[in-house]
């Protein structure tokens, strides 16, 4: 009742809210439906995605509608501004890292797919698959996951199993593009057929998995996980280019370079 200003808190963000009529009442998570409200703010997309991941890890129920809502918002943003770097989230701490990394990978992957001339539907499918590419890590103990970059021995094997864990979990989800399970399983397979999961007969991964592999590696490099300091776009692209033809698809690396360093439209 007085004029004392109200400030945002860690768990409450104070500001203006625009409600779309059809979005009132919140998402129907049981059927994977979410309100159709646009999510132009990156913080809103990260918050929604983080909650989707928490629910999936706890119950095995995946809100596919919420994922679609996020990819639709990214598509609209890319239509207005095709530079995905302008729509990416910054580092927000270890707890939010899974959502930040998934979101940024999706923004880059969708930007690359759009640059290739794919229509809205296929781009959205790639976006959902990119959001879920690392979902297997949700089932890895948190104390192991936060030390991922320094692991060895049996603990490292837990992390190396996450593509299989992710694909297995996603295959149980109804109304989900099959591409999501493929990308979850293959995103750490290398262009030359090596990488993991280790295959008895090495083969080249699916094109969507090769695209997401490049996008997720670039996302890690530029998001500066663990406050190690940002790398530049140029140095990140150079890192990928040095490994093109072995780890990464040369065409995908070239597309990423054109997108983040060129004038894609």
């Amino acid at each position: 009742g007085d004029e004392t200003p109200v400030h945002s808190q860690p768990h409450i963000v104070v500001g203006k809210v625009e409600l779309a009529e059809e979005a009132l009442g919140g998402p129907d998570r049981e059927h994977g439906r979410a309100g159709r409200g646009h999510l132009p703010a990156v913080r809103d997309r990260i918050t929604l995605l983080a909650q989707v991941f928490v629910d999936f890890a706890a119950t095995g129920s995946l809100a596919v509608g919420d994922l679609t809502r996020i990819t639709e918002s990214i598509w609209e943003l890319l239509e207005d501004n095709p530079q995905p770097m302008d729509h990416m989230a910054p580092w927000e701490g270890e707890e939010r890292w899974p959502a930040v990394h998934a979101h940024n990978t999706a923004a880059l992957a969708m930007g690359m797919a759009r640059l290739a001339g794919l229509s809205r539907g296929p781009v959205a499918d790639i976006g959902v698959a990119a959001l879920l590419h690392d979902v297997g890590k949700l089932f890895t103990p948190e104390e192991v996951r936060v030390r991922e970059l320094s692991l060895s021995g049996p603990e490292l094997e837990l992390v190396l199993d996450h593509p299989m864990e992710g694909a297995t979990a996603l295959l149980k989800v109804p109304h989900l593009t099959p591409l999501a399970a493929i990308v979850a399983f293959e995103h750490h397979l290398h262009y030359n057929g090596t990488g993991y999961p280790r295959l008895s007969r090495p083969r080249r991964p699916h094109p969507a998995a090769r695209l997401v592999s490049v996008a997720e590696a670039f996302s890690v490099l530029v998001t500066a996980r663990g406050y190690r300091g940002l790398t530049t776009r140029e140095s990140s692209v150079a890192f990928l280019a040095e490994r093109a033809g072995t780890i990464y698809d040369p065409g995908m690396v070239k597309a990423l370079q054109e997108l983040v360093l060129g004038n894609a439209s």
Side-chain angles (χ1 to χ4, degrees), residues 106-216:
L108 287 163
M110 291 177 68
M112 292 167 65
R114 183 181 173 279
L115 179 66
L118 297 184
S119 61
R120 183 169 186 155
V123 171
D125 284 347
I126 289 173
V128 170
L131 288 175
L132 296 171
H133 77 279
D134 254 352
V135 76
K137 290 183 180 178
L138 298 178
F139 307 102
T140 302
E142 183 177 2
E143 63 272 15
V144 173
R145 191 169 63 243
V146 298
R147 295 185 292 111
E148 175 185 350
L149 299 178
S150 60
L151 294 177
S152 61
E155 287 185 323
L156 179 59
E157 290 297 323
L158 289 175
V159 174
L160 296 183
D161 284 342
H162 81 267
M164 181 77 75
E165 295 283 347
T168 300
L170 294 177
L171 286 172
K172 300 175 184 177
V173 177
H175 313 301
L176 180 66
T177 169
L179 196 64
I182 295 172
V183 169
F185 183 78
E186 294 188 351
H187 71 280
H188 282 300
L189 287 179
H190 296 166
Y191 181 70
N192 63 5
T194 61
Y196 64 93
R198 299 178 182 90
L199 303 179
S200 58
R201 297 178 62 184
R203 57 174 173 78
R204 190 154 290 172
H206 189 285
R210 303 201 302 264
L211 186 155
V212 170
S213 176
V214 169
E216 79 103 16

Side-chain angles (χ1 to χ4, degrees), residues 1-264:
D2 57 25
E3 298 299 321
T4 303
V6 180
H7 299 288
S8 296
Q9 302 295 325
H11 57 293
I12 300 176
V13 178
V14 178
K16 294 182 178 179
V17 178
E18 180 178 345
L19 296 177
E21 183 177 352
E22 62 269 33
L24 295 176
D28 182 345
R29 292 185 178 276
E30 181 179 355
H31 296 92
R33 294 196 300 269
R36 293 179 177 272
H38 186 39
L39 296 168
V42 66
R43 179 180 291 272
D44 292 338
R45 299 194 298 275
I46 297 300
T47 297
L48 178 58
L49 184 57
Q51 188 60 54
V52 169
F53 286 167
V54 168
D55 292 347
F56 188 43
T59 68
S61 178
L62 184 64
V64 178
D66 285 344
L67 299 176
T68 301
R69 184 181 173 194
I70 292 168
T71 58
E72 286 177 349
S73 295
I74 294 173
W75 170 270
E76 296 294 339
L77 292 166
L78 290 171
E79 283 283 276
D80 294 335
N81 173 7
Q83 177 50 259
M85 295 290 292
D86 294 339
H87 311 305
M88 289 170 61
W91 167 264
E92 294 188 25
E94 201 66 52
E95 183 178 358
R96 302 262 282 190
W97 170 249
V100 167
H101 176 53
H103 172 277
N104 290 351
T105 299
L108 287 163
M110 291 177 68
M112 292 167 65
R114 183 181 173 279
L115 179 66
L118 297 184
S119 61
R120 183 169 186 155
V123 171
D125 284 347
I126 289 173
V128 170
L131 288 175
L132 296 171
H133 77 279
D134 254 352
V135 76
K137 290 183 180 178
L138 298 178
F139 307 102
T140 302
E142 183 177 2
E143 63 272 15
V144 173
R145 191 169 63 243
V146 298
R147 295 185 292 111
E148 175 185 350
L149 299 178
S150 60
L151 294 177
S152 61
E155 287 185 323
L156 179 59
E157 290 297 323
L158 289 175
V159 174
L160 296 183
D161 284 342
H162 81 267
M164 181 77 75
E165 295 283 347
T168 300
L170 294 177
L171 286 172
K172 300 175 184 177
V173 177
H175 313 301
L176 180 66
T177 169
L179 196 64
I182 295 172
V183 169
F185 183 78
E186 294 188 351
H187 71 280
H188 282 300
L189 287 179
H190 296 166
Y191 181 70
N192 63 5
T194 61
Y196 64 93
R198 299 178 182 90
L199 303 179
S200 58
R201 297 178 62 184
R203 57 174 173 78
R204 190 154 290 172
H206 189 285
R210 303 201 302 264
L211 186 155
V212 170
S213 176
V214 169
E216 79 103 16
F218 185 84
S219 168
V220 170
L221 290 170
V222 300
T223 308
R225 181 181 182 184
Y227 302 102
R228 291 192 305 277
L230 288 170
T231 60
T232 65
R233 300 184 193 188
E234 291 79 6
S235 62
S236 297
V237 169
F239 176 90
L240 299 176
E242 289 174 358
R243 293 156 178 80
T246 53
I247 297 178
Y248 304 112
D249 184 322
M252 301 299 181
V253 173
K254 184 177 180 181
L256 178 73
Q257 181 176 4
E258 180 179 347
L259 185 64
V260 301
L261 300 182
N263 296 308

